Amino acid sequence: MKKLLILIVLGLTLGSCSEYQKAFRSEDTEVQKAAAIKMYEKQKYGKAIRLFELIAPVYKGKAGEENVSYMFGMAYYNTKQFYLAAYQLESFASAYPKDSRSEEASFLAAKCFARLSPTYSLDQTDTEKAIYKMQDFIDRYPNSTYMAEANTIAKELRVKLEKKAFEVAKQYNTIEDYKAAQVAFDLFLSDFPGTVYKEEALYLKLDSAYKLAVNSIPSKMHERLLSAKAAYQSLVKFKADTQYKTKADDMLATIDKELQQFSK
């Protein structure tokens, strides 16, 4: 019985392979299309893709193209070829906006761009593109069944940009480029006013302003001390009991002491 089952499975497998090979070598696009759809339905996406690649140019602008275009994009998506899937699914949604699958294709295309977004420490060009694509989907389909997932993905992408911007600003402080650090923290706080890193960002801006001021040449010290004092005030105004209070108060004491020389 066991041997019989093995032979049946082997026969079906060889039959499927033979059917695919015949279709692949065929010059009849209808035969290739039928085989591609069959491979797709059997979730043999790799084989389906190779056949779709052959027939997609032939069906361009012809009846039946929408099904070929949709399955082609979904086959790429299911094999995690996200660049190709995004292109194909976007093309389908653009060409057939009234098709019942257009909304799904638009969402999955945007999701592909999100999948291509790298870790926050790398260049975030793809993340910015993914946010644009997902926001475009949200704007075009405000009542979509995918809305909750779309909003979650968009939020995760923005958090990644936020983390990147914060780490860049922190790096300027770490390498002691205190002037650049202050500019970077100002931009960060302006771009992400509700950030979870706000307290630390305000403290590090103070730290940068303080260190720049106390190590300045006399002609620039007064202005920079005042800037550092303003940074202190911003921190305690945001959170009076900040975890950095002791360090910040020590800085303020030094700032006030140094400012006395300019009041004489």
Side-chain angles (χ1 to χ4, degrees):
M1 187 66 181
K2 188 176 180 181
K3 289 181 179 179
L4 179 60
L5 287 171
I6 292 172
L7 288 172
I8 291 171
V9 171
L10 185 60
L12 290 171
T13 301
L14 290 173
S16 175
C17 289
S18 175
E19 183 181 5
Y20 164 73
Q21 290 297 339
K22 286 179 180 177
F24 192 80
R25 290 192 292 266
S26 175
E27 294 183 2
D28 188 334
T29 53
E30 287 298 317
V31 170
Q32 292 177 329
K33 178 184 174 183
I37 293 172
K38 194 169 184 178
M39 293 297 109
Y40 177 85
E41 290 173 345
K42 288 183 176 183
Q43 299 183 3
K44 295 181 178 181
Y45 298 119
K47 290 181 178 180
I49 286 169
R50 287 189 282 277
L51 289 168
F52 283 134
E53 286 172 342
L54 291 175
I55 65 175
V58 178
Y59 279 91
K60 193 74 174 174
K62 295 182 180 180
E65 184 202 357
E66 64 271 26
N67 291 325
V68 169
S69 180
Y70 172 78
M71 286 186 283
F72 196 6
M74 289 301 296
Y76 278 137
Y77 182 82
N78 284 310
T79 52
K80 299 182 176 10
Q81 298 183 67
F82 295 123
Y83 272 117
L84 294 171
Y87 171 78
Q88 191 63 41
L89 290 168
E90 274 195 328
S91 296
F92 167 78
S94 176
Y96 303 99
K98 294 182 180 180
D99 190 286
S100 60
R101 299 163 294 184
S102 180
E103 179 182 325
E104 176 198 22
S106 295
F107 171 68
L108 291 179
K111 193 172 180 178
C112 285
F113 287 108
R115 292 289 189 90
L116 293 166
S117 169
T119 183
Y120 78 88
S121 60
L122 301 177
D123 179 79
Q124 292 301 299
T125 300
D126 281 338
T127 303
E128 291 170 352
K129 187 174 185 178
I131 290 173
Y132 172 80
K133 295 290 185 180
M134 193 59 73
Q135 190 59 52
D136 182 58
F137 171 80
I138 290 169
D139 292 341
R140 285 194 293 122
Y141 298 98
N143 300 313
S144 174
T145 55
Y146 300 105
M147 187 55 64
E149 188 178 357
N151 280 321
T152 297
I153 292 171
K155 182 179 179 181
E156 289 171 352
L157 292 168
R158 292 189 184 98
V159 166
K160 193 180 290 188
L161 287 186
E162 179 182 325
K163 178 70 172 173
K164 173 71 173 183
F166 178 63
E167 291 298 328
V168 167
K170 269 181 74 174
Q171 184 64 20
Y172 282 122
N173 177 270
T174 300
I175 64 174
E176 300 181 3
D177 189 346
Y178 300 123
K179 194 172 182 179
Q182 290 179 79
V183 173
F185 281 119
D186 279 339
L187 287 172
F188 171 73
L189 292 165
S190 175
D191 290 341
F192 305 98
T195 177
V196 296
Y197 304 111
K198 188 166 185 175
E199 182 183 358
E200 187 177 359
L202 287 168
Y203 168 71
L204 289 173
K205 181 188 173 184
L206 165 61
D207 181 70
S208 298
Y210 169 79
K211 288 174 178 174
L212 181 66
V214 297
N215 292 295
S216 289
I217 58 175
S219 63
K220 293 186 178 181
M221 183 176 285
H222 183 232
E223 180 185 355
R224 289 175 175 175
L225 287 168
L226 291 174
S227 179
K229 189 165 186 175
Y232 171 88
Q233 291 167 344
S234 294
L235 172 62
V236 296
K237 181 179 180 181
F238 172 70
K239 193 171 184 181
D241 61 343
T242 174
Q243 62 178 308
Y244 305 106
K245 189 72 162 58
T246 301
K247 291 180 180 178
D249 284 347
D250 287 344
M251 291 182 199
L252 179 63
T254 301
I255 290 168
D256 283 340
K257 183 178 178 181
E258 292 292 338
L259 280 172
Q260 288 177 6
Q261 64 181 296
F262 297 101
S263 59
K264 295 176 182 178

